[in-house]
Amino acid sequence: MSDSKFIVLCQPDKGKSCGACCGLYNYVDSSRSSLEQRLRLRTKRFHELVKKPDDVALYAKETLAAEDFNKRYEVIYCCEYLGFLDNEEKKVGCLLHPEQNQGCDMRDVSFYGQELCAGHFCPSHHFIPQSQCEILIKIFDDWYLYGLVLTDIDLVIQYFRLIADRIGGELKPEAFDNVSLKNIVLEYFNWKITWPFRSLETNRLGKYYFDGSQYMISYIDYARFGREVSPLNAIFLSLSSSFKNTEEIDEAEMMIWSNIENFVATYERGR
Ligand code: SF4
Ligand code: SF4
């Protein structure tokens, strides 16, 4: 890219990578253990079967036959060529990529085609500020959570905005040399997986849900609980929240405000 400040989030380092736009989280069962197993078997199958481009068809046939491809959203393609790129299974990525195949680019056989696969930069590249991209790259060491978080723009920018408002300026990546600060932020981002008020509907992913024919942005009916819209509403939607009563909203707000207060107090102590 000509802009030296443009940060590519897809494969930032040896500790993690993202495969969200290849449909990674679009399986009905997109739990960590299920995806690990799926990607592990694909990678093994690919390396056993594919010695030259003509072998890719057999790999695809066997993969499609072996796996459950039921999707969360029908309109998002789940690509059969996503696997692990390294023996340690720290990086997810494209098994057809030339770096995986001695320079031979085989992505032309894929659903999206070589050009789209090679040139795609998701909206996070444009909407998450550079310093926040650097922070995400610095604090994550886990492909599963990294991809889930970086593609949830509201979850990232709303949180860092609330912190910036309190410390009087944008957070700098260097702040995360302090492990305590890193752990506080990871507590928050881990709620993407462990949030206790998360809707269990399989057609929910962050603030979106799918009614069988189209995506819609979910909403929380605060009026039903006799409340104003929460100042944390965007975060609640990103966490796929579904509240049963007003006490749950109080508790959810308290969890997030406590995390932010803890961050700010720890940050101020280290200044
Ligand atoms: S979702 Fe975005 S960051 Fe992730 S692989 Fe696709 S383009 Fe890269
Ligand atoms: S072929 Fe394209 S969509 Fe499939 S894993 Fe590779 S980059 Fe992703």
Side-chain angles (χ1 to χ4, degrees):
M1 303 297 294
S2 58
D3 181 357
S4 62
K5 292 184 174 172
F6 187 86
I7 294 175
V8 178
L9 294 162
C10 314
Q11 302 279 339
D13 56 42
K14 290 182 177 165
K16 72 277 186 173
S17 62
C18 174
C21 61
C22 308
L24 179 61
Y25 304 108
N26 193 38
Y27 300 95
V28 167
D29 183 357
S30 290
S31 61
R32 181 192 295 272
S33 58
S34 167
L35 292 183
E36 264 173 0
Q37 178 74 351
R38 186 186 289 270
L39 299 185
R40 184 173 298 141
L41 291 175
R42 279 184 192 175
T43 306
K44 183 169 180 288
R45 185 180 303 118
F46 189 89
H47 291 310
E48 281 171 3
L49 295 180
V50 180
K51 307 297 176 198
K52 56 186 187 310
D54 284 351
D55 300 332
V56 173
L58 177 61
Y59 161 83
K61 188 173 167 217
E62 295 211 356
T63 301
L64 295 174
E67 291 186 15
D68 176 0
F69 273 86
N70 278 322
K71 301 181 184 74
R72 203 193 294 262
Y73 300 132
E74 268 312 313
V75 290
I76 297 176
Y77 190 71
C78 289
C79 184
E80 62 273 33
Y81 300 113
L82 192 67
F84 283 121
L85 302 183
D86 58 335
N87 292 335
E88 294 75 31
E89 301 184 347
K90 290 180 95 49
K91 287 174 69 90
V92 293
C94 182
L95 296 171
L96 300 176
H97 193 279
E99 282 184 21
Q100 292 292 301
N101 299 286
Q102 296 80 44
C104 179
D105 191 341
M106 299 191 271
R107 290 174 289 183
D108 55 338
V109 301
S110 71
F111 177 80
Y112 292 117
Q114 191 277 340
E115 209 171 318
L116 256 184
C117 286
H120 176 68
F121 293 107
C122 67
S124 301
H125 286 92
H126 309 292
F127 291 110
I128 299 180
Q130 183 196 350
S131 61
Q132 295 177 16
C133 290
E134 289 175 6
I135 291 169
L136 296 181
I137 290 171
K138 185 159 184 159
I139 65 173
F140 281 107
D141 192 13
D142 166 16
W143 61 268
Y144 185 79
L145 194 56
Y146 176 69
L148 271 180
V149 167
L150 84 83
T151 50
D152 195 331
I153 296 168
D154 282 345
L155 186 78
V156 174
I157 64 176
Q158 296 286 336
Y159 180 66
F160 286 130
R161 184 176 299 150
L162 289 168
I163 290 176
D165 288 348
R166 282 158 181 75
I167 64 172
E170 288 300 321
L171 267 172
K172 295 200 166 50
E174 303 83 78
F176 292 90
D177 293 338
N178 180 338
V179 177
S180 301
L181 290 179
K182 175 177 152 177
N183 288 338
I184 294 167
V185 172
L186 286 178
E187 176 194 53
Y188 167 80
F189 284 130
N190 257 304
W191 284 330
K192 191 74 186 157
I193 303 171
T194 61
W195 186 236
F197 309 104
R198 181 183 175 77
S199 164
L200 296 177
E201 292 172 79
T202 53
N203 62 349
R204 277 292 296 274
L205 186 63
K207 67 181 175 182
Y208 298 103
Y209 73 98
F210 190 65
D211 76 345
S213 61
Q214 59 183 323
Y215 295 105
M216 288 183 276
I217 292 185
S218 189
Y219 75 102
I220 295 165
D221 186 0
Y222 294 96
R224 180 160 76 97
F225 304 119
R227 306 176 62 119
E228 297 291 317
V229 173
S230 170
L232 300 174
N233 185 53
I235 290 173
F236 287 165
L237 290 176
S238 280
L239 294 172
S240 303
S241 304
S242 169
F243 298 113
K244 291 193 211 60
N245 50 51
T246 193
E247 289 77 18
E248 286 196 346
I249 301 176
D250 287 339
E251 194 183 336
E253 287 187 339
M254 192 270 293
M255 286 173 71
I256 291 173
W257 288 129
S258 298
N259 174 281
I260 290 171
E261 282 163 21
N262 189 15
F263 184 96
V264 172
T266 307
Y267 181 86
E268 297 294 350
R269 274 199 301 277
R271 261 183 166 176

